[in-house]
Amino acid sequence: MVVKVYGPVAAACPQRVLACLMEIGTEYEIIPVDLQTGEHKKPEFLARQPFGQVPVIYDGDFKLFESRAIIRYLAAKHGGHIGSNLLGRTIEEKALVDQWLEVEAHNFNDLVYTLVFQLVVLPRMGKRGDLALAHSSEQKLEKVLDIYEERLSKSDYLAGNSFTMADLSHLPGIRYLVEDAGMGHLIRGRKHVSAWWDTISSRPAWKKVMHLLN
Amino acid sequence: MGVVKVHGIPLSTAAMRVMACLYEKELEFELVPVDLRAGEHKKEPFISLNPFGQVPAFEDGDLKLFESRAITQYIAHQYAGNGTPLVCPDPKKMAVVSVWMEVEGHQYDPAASKLTYELAIKKFLNATADNAVVEEYEAKLAKVLDVYEARLACCKYLAGDCFTLADLHHLPTMQYLMGTQAKKLFDSRPHVSAWCADIMGRPAWSKVLAMQNKA
């Protein structure tokens, strides 16, 4: 059984799904989608994902979109005991994983998205980014990362002492911040966040995703 | 089951999301008020319950949680046998519930929350709505609701035949917006309109609204 993933490897949300697939060792096939030519906003793709966003997956005939729903499904359905550890084994562990997945989605992601969009995406398109907006997002992200620093001073990973989906979900965004947006200081300036980033980004599964970028 | 506490206020959309879930599951809980005007949520002891200084925070015996959508998922799974089923045991069905929970969180909520703030919350604060923002976000919400209209033409609820957390999560902002000019965005789409009337008419939701009247 091969899971089909529609989306460019370079984009953050497909990377979230690929990281999960690598962790659980499920076979996959990538069908690229050309964001630059607006392929994702054309009728053929909109029939797959009505919001015109990547990624979309097909597991046989079963289709899903929204990367954070996809990773939960893949881990539950195909992940075996690895998947179970990634999601949380007990209801309480799952709740903590969900809590930090929600933090990533609601407190972290939008700020990172704004920063990357203004500092990386717009300039690549030959347009001017809004530096004031980028700066204000950076300041808010500093406050959020202070909370992560406090959390990670008490546990090795966000939801406890094992690597889970909550940590995995951060990988693409932080990579963009550090490698493309020139925001490495946000991570390196915080001892525990920095150590956590080093640990999670050196996982073999993430390295395999990075290898696909080259 | 330990003592269940929700730290927050009945007017907070995120706290309402959690209370709607508790009422659907027919679970007893205590609402512990948090004085937002006095900044209680940004200080100890609240900060220890939610380091992001946001309501609600939640306790079930020794378990402490924050983030309303993580809390509702915990309640739905932990108390799967109580009250209304809000999640599905089958992984594929659950995945579809997840998709639409993510859609609510990432596509619907950013626009709906912004409009709720401009059109409803600002009234409580005696502040004026920013018309440019209202126009921008009404347009964004309209696009999202077009997708919902197509989805609800084939399914009674977002995830399929049954009411789930995917529908419930929309209630708080939907309730606020129905009392403002943004109501037209829902009313002008027949399947969306029927779905709204259905989910807002649920007895558990009336109990959440009754808490606002007591406050």
Side-chain angles (χ1 to χ4, degrees):
Chain A
M1 160 237 48
V2 174
V3 171
K4 290 190 178 165
V5 183
Y6 281 74
V9 178
C13 296
Q15 285 176 11
R16 183 174 288 113
V17 170
L18 291 167
C20 173
L21 286 162
M22 302 297 193
E23 287 285 350
I24 64 180
T26 300
E27 276 193 58
Y28 64 91
E29 181 195 338
I30 297 172
I31 295 102
V33 176
D34 191 343
L35 304 186
Q36 253 138 3
T37 60
E39 189 185 336
H40 55 314
K41 303 293 181 189
K42 296 189 181 146
E44 199 191 322
F45 189 82
L46 288 173
R48 300 185 195 281
Q49 213 283 23
F51 297 95
Q53 293 168 334
V54 290
V56 181
I57 69 147
Y58 288 82
D59 183 3
D61 288 331
F62 183 60
K63 180 187 77 171
L64 279 185
F65 52 87
E66 286 294 338
S67 61
R68 295 168 190 82
I70 293 169
I71 60 180
R72 284 173 158 118
Y73 164 75
L74 288 173
K77 179 86 185 177
H78 300 301
H81 80 275
I82 295 179
S84 177
N85 289 342
L86 287 173
L87 292 170
R89 282 153 300 196
T90 64
I91 292 187
E92 288 79 7
E93 278 179 26
K94 278 195 173 73
L96 289 171
V97 173
D98 278 340
Q99 177 181 277
W100 287 97
L101 267 168
E102 291 297 314
V103 165
E104 183 274 320
H106 294 282
N107 284 326
F108 177 85
N109 184 67
D110 289 349
L111 295 173
V112 172
Y113 181 85
T114 302
L115 266 172
V116 172
F117 192 73
Q118 300 302 329
L119 297 178
V120 181
V121 176
L122 284 176
R124 278 184 192 166
M125 284 160 52
K127 298 181 189 170
R128 217 180 213 159
D130 181 337
L131 294 182
L133 179 55
H135 185 62
S136 133
S137 298
E138 185 189 343
Q139 288 183 309
K140 290 178 185 170
L141 191 53
E142 295 257 26
K143 294 204 168 127
V144 169
L145 289 170
D146 285 341
I147 296 167
Y148 279 51
E149 180 64 11
E150 173 67 21
R151 172 63 182 170
L152 293 162
S153 70
K154 302 196 174 109
S155 64
D156 293 337
Y157 297 93
L158 288 172
N161 287 320
S162 331
F163 178 78
T164 66
M165 284 305 189
D167 309 288
L168 183 152
S169 201
H170 287 80
L171 285 161
I174 298 182
R175 191 211 68 82
Y176 261 103
L177 276 183
V178 170
E179 291 181 23
D180 294 345
M183 291 280 136
H185 59 282
L186 293 175
I187 304 300
R188 296 304 174 203
R190 291 171 172 80
K191 180 175 148 197
H192 297 98
V193 170
S194 182
W196 168 73
W197 168 243
D198 283 338
T199 304
I200 65 174
S201 58
S202 8
R203 290 179 72 86
W206 183 241
K207 292 196 162 170
K208 287 182 195 164
V209 178
M210 291 297 94
H211 192 67
L212 289 175
L213 275 183
N214 299 331
Chain B
M1 189 188 99
V3 175
V4 174
K5 294 185 185 176
V6 178
H7 296 258
I9 60 169
L11 293 174
S12 147
T13 51
M16 288 162 81
R17 186 172 291 120
V18 171
M19 292 194 288
C21 182
L22 288 164
Y23 281 121
E24 286 287 350
K25 301 308 273 174
E26 296 164 15
L27 297 168
E28 299 270 331
F29 67 94
E30 184 192 333
L31 178 65
V32 179
V34 178
D35 189 344
L36 301 184
R37 279 191 202 200
E40 192 184 333
H41 53 315
K42 303 291 181 190
K43 305 175 203 163
E44 291 295 358
F46 187 84
I47 284 277
S48 294
L49 291 171
N50 185 344
F52 293 91
Q54 294 164 327
V55 290
F58 175 86
E59 295 180 84
D60 184 357
D62 289 333
L63 177 68
K64 295 178 184 6
L65 290 176
F66 54 91
E67 288 296 334
S68 65
R69 296 168 186 83
I71 296 167
T72 56
Q73 286 179 75
Y74 161 73
I75 294 166
H77 284 105
Q78 177 72 306
Y79 300 103
N82 292 50
T84 316
L86 293 173
V87 289
C88 307
D90 171 72
K92 284 192 176 174
K93 290 189 175 163
M94 189 60 215
V96 179
V97 177
S98 274
V99 165
W100 292 94
M101 284 197 289
E102 292 295 316
V103 167
E104 185 275 328
H106 291 281
Q107 318 280 0
Y108 169 87
D109 189 67
S113 286
K114 193 85 178 174
L115 280 172
T116 296
Y117 181 72
E118 288 296 325
L119 297 171
I121 308 294
K122 271 185 162 175
K123 286 210 168 112
F124 289 131
L125 305 173
N126 284 320
T128 343
D130 181 333
N131 287 325
V133 172
V134 169
E135 210 180 301
E136 185 190 344
Y137 282 86
E138 279 188 352
K140 287 182 180 179
L141 186 57
K143 285 204 169 127
V144 172
L145 290 177
D146 284 340
V147 178
Y148 279 46
E149 181 64 14
R151 174 66 180 171
L152 293 163
C154 11
C155 299
K156 188 166 183 210
Y157 297 99
L158 287 173
D161 300 325
C162 304
F163 177 80
T164 65
L165 285 184
D167 309 286
L168 184 151
H169 284 177
H170 292 77
L171 282 165
T173 47
M174 183 186 288
Q175 181 74 39
Y176 272 113
L177 291 176
M178 286 301 199
T180 71
Q181 70 181 56
K183 180 183 203 307
K184 62 183 185 286
L185 298 174
F186 299 90
D187 288 348
S188 58
R189 293 167 173 79
H191 295 100
V192 168
S193 180
W195 168 70
C196 291
D198 183 301
I199 68 176
M200 287 169 70
R202 293 179 70 86
W205 185 243
S206 309
K207 292 180 185 166
V208 176
L209 297 180
M211 297 208 68
Q212 294 187 336
N213 298 330
K214 278 190 228 158

